[in-house]
Amino acid sequence: MNVERQVEALLRELAPQVIGLLARRHGQFDACEDAVQEALLSAAQQWPEQGIPDSPKSWLATVASRRLVDEWRSESARRRREENSALMDLSGPGEASTVSESDDTLTVLFLCCHPSLSAPSQLALTLRAVGGLTTGEIASAFLVGESTLAQRVSRAKQTIKKAGAEFVLPPPAELAERLRVVLHVLYLMFNEGYTTSGGPELHRADLTAEAVRLTRLLHRLMPDEDEVTGLLALMLLTDARRAARAGDDGSLIPLADQDRSRWDAGMIAEGVSLVSEALEAGPVGPYQVQAAIAAVHDEAATAADTDWPQILALYDVLEKVAPGPVVTLNRAVAVAEVHGPEAGLELIATLDGDARMDQTHRVDSVRGHLLELAGDTGAAREAYLRAAGKTASEPEKRYLKLRAQRLG
């Protein structure tokens, strides 16, 4: 890992911890989050050239605290006394003597999923404060402009402030209420890392690793929640294939063509064990079903050995517990494998006109694949080119153009 990536990964891990440290002391999550973002920016600019400090968490906490002091200087004398106290409590850069080693990441995670916020605001704020995604990356995930997303984050923090939310983990009943959004956030974070929405790289291993790390933390906190177990299993079973997904030149390699000897057997074994445990425990949720589908893929020695009838049966279950256009699109692939490409194309046609899929390239990508299987090379080529025009991911764009070129 080069220095820039090492710094980026470290900052992503430390960001919620430092936010938690400051929020626990000052009780102002909105101001603390802003201050930490500026400290992260300073670190991203300085550390690659000057080196990572001996105590990076303490460095960030001190810089962010000074930023808070600058913001509060015009306020009352009482506030100024609090500021001076805060500076005395914090050690300087490189000195870790008084900086807590506790990890407040999960507390920040659930605070960002406060019930006073709308679901989109919960997602946006958590991806920024906990996941370390930039405003641009989050905007791309939500298919909105950066300015719109920035306003959403700002409003979310103000809403939390007005609600008087304290920096503590909510009681068990409220934890359960927020869990669905927390899981969705971690799922989005992982997906952004596994297949980046834009740019020159196919995946960002640091981001998938952080999503797995946070989900492991959540699993330790809530070991009896089967959907937490299912999501962790899904991440492991999916990320196990990462090394085989790209060629030496960074080009995308589809699942059927991957060298399965490069898959991580340890991650697959852990994922299979986790999903088996979750499925045996009780009612089935969407993450458990998706993990079961991933397990069927991972346990096939070759692409030809894939048990597509079992995968289709699992997608039938998934469509009942979590219906949606993405599920329909993925199910169309399984239908095509079991009943032929024409049947899959008929199912994809039901998504035409669905506004939720207008901005994604995946419908045209899958349609192109099934048209190619059906022998309609001209229509397949057009579909691949339409898909290439819609994706901001350079590896995916190159792959789709190459598929179109081969049919030309």
Side-chain angles (χ1 to χ4, degrees):
M1 183 184 297
N2 61 33
V3 176
E4 288 77 10
R5 282 301 179 85
Q6 183 181 0
V7 168
E8 184 180 357
L10 180 60
L11 293 179
R12 181 169 291 111
E13 178 181 352
L14 292 178
Q17 297 182 36
V18 179
I19 291 173
L21 176 66
L22 268 64
R24 194 177 293 281
R25 286 177 173 171
H26 305 301
Q28 298 190 29
F29 175 79
D30 58 329
C32 293
E33 201 274 339
D34 283 338
V36 171
Q37 290 294 330
E38 293 202 16
L40 293 173
L41 179 60
S42 297
Q45 293 172 341
Q46 296 179 35
W47 291 2
E49 295 183 1
Q50 301 176 8
I52 297 174
D54 293 337
S55 178
K57 182 176 177 180
S58 186
W59 191 101
L60 290 169
T62 301
V63 172
S65 185
R66 287 172 178 164
R67 171 70 172 79
L68 288 173
V69 171
D70 290 341
E71 288 295 311
W72 291 340
R73 275 177 178 164
S74 61
E75 297 186 8
S76 66
R78 177 188 62 81
R79 175 63 70 189
R80 284 196 292 272
R81 285 196 298 271
E82 292 177 1
E83 295 162 7
N84 292 333
S85 176
L87 278 180
M88 291 177 66
D89 287 342
L90 286 167
S91 30
E95 301 173 7
S97 58
T98 62
V99 174
S100 170
E101 293 301 321
S102 65
D103 188 341
D104 289 316
T105 298
L106 286 178
T107 305
V108 176
L109 181 62
F110 281 98
L111 181 62
C112 290
C113 296
H114 194 275
S116 65
L117 301 178
S118 66
S121 295
Q122 290 170 327
L123 291 169
L125 182 57
T126 308
L127 286 169
R128 174 169 141 146
V130 184
L133 271 69
T134 66
T135 302
E137 288 168 336
I138 305 170
S140 177
F142 286 136
L143 303 177
V144 298
E146 286 193 40
S147 60
T148 300
L149 195 285
Q151 292 173 2
R152 183 178 297 174
V153 170
S154 178
R155 286 196 300 267
K157 291 190 292 187
Q158 290 302 313
T159 300
I160 288 177
K161 182 178 180 179
K162 291 178 181 177
E166 297 181 356
F167 190 75
V168 293
L169 280 172
E174 194 169 330
L175 271 175
E177 292 174 5
R178 296 194 205 177
L179 182 59
R180 178 183 58 82
V181 175
V182 170
L183 292 175
H184 190 193
V185 167
L186 296 173
Y187 181 69
L188 285 179
M189 188 188 306
F190 178 85
N191 286 345
E192 175 63 25
Y194 192 69
T195 303
T196 56
S197 56
E201 298 182 9
L202 179 62
H203 52 245
R204 292 175 55 181
D206 53 346
L207 196 50
T208 56
E210 178 66 4
V212 171
R213 185 187 77 87
L214 293 177
T215 307
R216 285 193 188 278
L217 281 174
L218 190 59
H219 185 246
R220 287 201 291 270
L221 179 70
M222 311 176 79
D224 296 328
E225 288 290 343
D226 296 331
E227 276 292 79
V228 176
T229 305
L231 179 59
L232 179 56
L234 173 61
M235 289 181 179
L236 294 172
L237 290 164
T238 304
D239 201 35
R241 311 177 201 135
R242 175 162 43 88
R245 291 182 66 231
D248 294 337
D249 60 352
S251 59
L252 186 152
I253 302 176
L255 181 63
D257 298 333
Q258 290 174 15
D259 177 1
R260 299 185 178 216
S261 68
R262 300 186 65 192
W263 291 1
D264 190 316
M267 294 178 73
I268 292 173
E270 183 183 0
V272 169
S273 176
L274 285 168
V275 70
S276 299
E277 169 193 332
L279 290 173
E280 292 173 358
V284 174
Y287 294 116
Q288 298 167 63
V289 180
Q290 291 180 69
I293 293 170
V296 175
H297 280 296
D298 285 8
E299 291 182 317
T302 67
D305 294 329
T306 304
D307 189 344
W308 283 106
Q310 184 180 358
I311 290 176
L312 179 55
L314 288 168
Y315 270 119
D316 290 341
V317 174
L318 184 58
E319 198 162 46
K320 291 178 181 177
V321 298
V326 175
V327 174
T328 299
L329 181 63
N330 291 331
R331 181 171 173 268
V333 176
V335 167
E337 292 288 348
V338 176
H339 300 297
E342 291 82 3
L345 287 166
E346 288 181 9
L347 185 54
I348 289 179
T350 65
L351 297 175
D352 292 341
D354 191 322
R356 293 171 293 180
M357 304 298 282
D358 285 347
Q359 301 299 319
T360 178
H361 67 287
R362 304 207 179 277
V363 174
D364 282 320
S365 178
V366 174
R367 180 180 277 121
H369 173 63
L370 298 188
L371 285 168
E372 184 178 356
L373 291 177
D376 192 344
T377 56
R381 181 176 183 275
E382 292 176 3
Y384 283 138
L385 291 175
R386 285 197 304 271
K390 291 180 180 179
T391 180
S393 167
E394 294 178 16
E396 287 190 321
K397 188 185 294 289
R398 288 196 303 270
Y399 170 77
L400 291 164
K401 288 184 175 181
L402 181 60
R403 294 297 295 262
Q405 182 181 351
R406 287 175 178 172
L407 297 177

